[in-house]
């Protein structure tokens, strides 16, 4: 175990004033396992930060190693000009699982799983930790890829800004299942139910500059985010 | 045309200090048509706001009517406790179009289309405008649905907080196409290309409490976000 890794020593996170789910709290979940499964299935996070009291929300790639979330620091360069070393962020990952079609417009909803994390994101300077974070970025997006590709050289490592956010103050919010309609509406002659949605891989498109006889790797051919990451 | 609607009278938005894309500016796009197509295809936006210098990023549903974005105000209730009428927000919508698999770890990327909007979100009090916004929420998620369902009664209308954000200060950022590898890496025996990703509808699941003989509507059976909204 490297010195930047640590054991997950707490199964359930403690809700704080800012991480506590206020609206429809019965959908909240503070289990570390649940939160990590959502983070591992997502592809993009939305990083929120404040500059001169102005909110910014920027989508970016990320990866997780144990109880730290690593995010690409470049989108935050605007913010990091004004701070040194660390910055207060809110990072949100949202997975859309389906449309919830109720009998009334009011009760329409979506099935989703989301995680909101609060904390200080710190610039990673240790090059071992930084390399591990870059590996986590790649393996997070497409497991199996890292060992096949040219790994970062010193210049690339130095040229990439990585931020680490401890997974201490976080909450998940999950909606599943059928619409909840008003009792009187259940007799209406309106179809109601769920339309599941899933992020599905299409057919891989080879780069036209590929040398001949390069086989398509199995992890591309069989890519299935659901199989890899979906909750049981 | 209702009094809350207005014509889109500017084809290209003017970049401001905060809306100007700073990183990889060649991916930026300020065309209103492009920005609206991305907003119309997305399902969930991430709303960023600031309370006591703390950033919050909350996923929520939205809809667009001409040059206004309407967002569900409930997630922002935390924020609205401290302000009256309007609040400074950053709203971001991100669509993931595929994984970009390069020969080097460093050049891995994603194809995506995102929009970032800045501005003051105002609480909608006019009940005609509010009803139009609720219709826009429903039709945004599943076109054709509104006319089939029980529409909001007075109590539901009053119980829903809606915020309106003018689409004045916004920018899109788009990545398309193949990986851009270092010249020396093109000879490596590594498969490179694109793995397209798409949010696809599965088989609809009927609510078990549905009366018999309720047909599945065509707009559910044939749901295809890409066909409806994808850019030509």
């Amino acid at each position: 175990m490297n010195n930047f890794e640590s054991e997950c020593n707490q199964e359930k996170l403690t809700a704080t004033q800012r991480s506590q789910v206020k609206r429809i709290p019965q959908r909240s979940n503070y289990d570390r396992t649940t939160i990590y499964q959502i983070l591992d299935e997502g592809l993009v996070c939305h990083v929120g930060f404040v500059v001169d009291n102005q909110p910014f929300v920027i989508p970016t790639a990320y990866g997780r190693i144990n109880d730290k979330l690593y995010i690409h620091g470049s989108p935050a360069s605007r913010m990091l000009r004004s701070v040194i070393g660390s910055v207060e962020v809110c990072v949100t990952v949202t997975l859309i699982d389906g449309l919830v079609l109720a009998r009334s417009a009011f009760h329409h909803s979506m099935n989703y799983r989301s995680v909101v994390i609060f904390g200080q994101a710190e610039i990673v300077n240790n090059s071992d930790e930084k390399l591990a974070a870059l590996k986590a970025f790649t393996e997070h997006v497409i497991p199996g890829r890292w060992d096949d590709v040219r790994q970062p050289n010193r210049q690339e490592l130095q040229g990439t800004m990585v931020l680490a956010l401890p997974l201490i103050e976080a909450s998940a919010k999950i909606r599943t299942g059928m619409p909840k309609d008003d009792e009187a509406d259940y007799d209406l002659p309106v179809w109601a139910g769920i339309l599941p949605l899933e992020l599905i891989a299409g057919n891989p498109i080879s780069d036209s500059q590929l040398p001949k006889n390069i086989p398509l790797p199995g992890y591309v051919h069989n890519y299935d985010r659901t199989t890899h990451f979906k909750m049981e």
Side-chain angles (χ1 to χ4, degrees), chain A:
Chain A
M1 199 165 78
N2 295 314
N3 64 348
F4 54 86
E5 293 179 343
S6 61
E7 293 288 347
C8 303
N9 50 14
Q10 193 192 5
E11 282 183 18
K12 201 179 261 292
L13 300 180
T14 309
T16 62
Q17 173 64 20
R18 58 185 181 179
S19 74
Q20 191 176 12
V21 173
K22 299 286 197 299
R23 187 165 175 266
I24 322 187
Q26 59 272 30
R27 291 186 187 162
S28 67
N29 189 311
Y30 301 92
D31 295 335
R32 201 180 276 278
T33 307
T34 304
I35 290 169
Y36 287 5
Q37 279 171 326
I38 295 170
L39 293 177
D40 293 351
E41 187 179 333
L43 278 171
V44 164
C45 68
H46 284 80
V47 182
F49 53 88
V50 181
V51 179
D52 297 336
N53 216 38
Q54 162 69 50
F56 287 84
V57 178
I58 308 292
T60 191
Y62 66 95
R64 183 179 68 84
I65 301 175
N66 296 334
D67 49 4
K68 277 191 189 171
L69 195 81
Y70 290 93
I71 56 180
H72 256 296
S74 333
S77 57
R78 188 197 294 258
M79 148 192 77
L80 290 163
R81 278 199 300 267
S82 60
V83 297
I84 295 167
S86 75
V87 62
E88 190 73 36
V89 295
C90 175
V91 174
T92 301
V93 171
T94 306
L95 307 173
I96 300 172
D97 291 328
L99 308 181
V100 179
L101 304 175
R103 290 133 182 108
S104 63
F106 186 73
H107 286 294
H108 274 65
S109 187
M110 287 186 217
N111 283 335
Y112 63 89
R113 291 165 288 150
S114 65
V115 166
V116 178
I117 311 158
F118 296 95
Q120 293 276 335
E122 288 192 6
I123 295 178
V124 174
N125 291 311
N126 178 302
S127 59
D128 286 346
E129 180 173 6
K130 207 168 170 179
L131 187 63
L134 296 187
K135 178 176 177 180
F137 289 158
T138 305
E139 290 288 304
H140 171 76
V141 168
I142 181 156
R145 184 68 177 165
W146 180 259
D147 287 339
D148 274 4
V149 296
R150 179 178 66 68
Q151 294 180 11
N153 56 36
R154 180 182 300 226
Q155 195 185 351
E156 291 170 342
L157 202 58
Q158 287 178 347
T160 311
M161 189 189 290
V162 174
L163 299 175
L165 177 64
L167 292 166
I168 296 169
E169 209 174 333
S171 53
K173 200 170 172 185
I174 298 172
R175 192 208 185 280
T176 57
M178 286 292 157
K180 308 262 184 297
D181 270 300
D182 289 354
E183 210 46 52
D185 290 335
Y186 275 87
D187 293 333
L188 292 175
V190 179
W191 188 87
I194 295 169
L195 184 62
L197 292 173
E198 207 175 296
L199 198 65
I200 302 260
N203 291 323
I205 305 166
S206 297
D207 191 334
S208 62
Q209 296 185 62
L210 216 55
K212 280 182 184 167
N213 304 321
I214 304 276
L216 187 71
Y219 55 76
V220 178
H221 183 68
N222 301 315
Y223 190 80
D224 183 344
R225 208 138 185 95
T226 310
T227 306
H228 282 305
F229 300 106
K230 204 129 184 173
M231 286 194 290
E232 297 304 310

